[in-house]
């Protein structure tokens, strides 16, 4: 069984604001993500945890957003979930 959580590092931030101060990469989730993506915020957190190669932190209020340690993880998450052209059908 695969563990989706990376081991704890003492230098990891505990909030998105703290991550941005350390130079992490922010991804904002669109406001209507539940209707548009058909996925809850917890689903996005599970996906980010299972697909990220580095660490990430998330925030639900006032606007859902994630901060990723690696730019590759942030770009992949953005292309997968925040792309405005997903609903071409």
């Amino acid at each position: 069984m695969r563990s989706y959580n990376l081991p704890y590092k003492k230098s990891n931030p505990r909030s998105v604001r703290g991550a941005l101060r350390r130079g992490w990469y922010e991804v904002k989730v669109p406001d209507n993500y539940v209707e548009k993506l058909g996925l809850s915020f917890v689903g996005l957190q599970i996906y980010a945890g299972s697909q990220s190669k580095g660490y990430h932190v998330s925030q639900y209020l006032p606007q859902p957003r994630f901060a990723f340690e690696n730019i590759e993880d942030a770009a992949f998450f953005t292309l997968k979930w925040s792309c405005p052209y997903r609903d071409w059908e």
Side-chain angles (χ1 to χ4, degrees), residues 26-56:
E26 179 185 22
V27 175
K28 293 183 179 177
V29 180
D31 290 334
N32 58 350
Y33 66 94
V34 174
E35 296 87 19
K36 202 173 212 182
L37 305 175
L39 199 62
S40 67
F41 186 74
V42 174
L44 292 175
Q45 285 181 321
I46 292 170
Y47 180 82
S50 65
Q51 298 298 321
S52 298
K53 293 183 173 85
Y55 295 98
H56 76 280

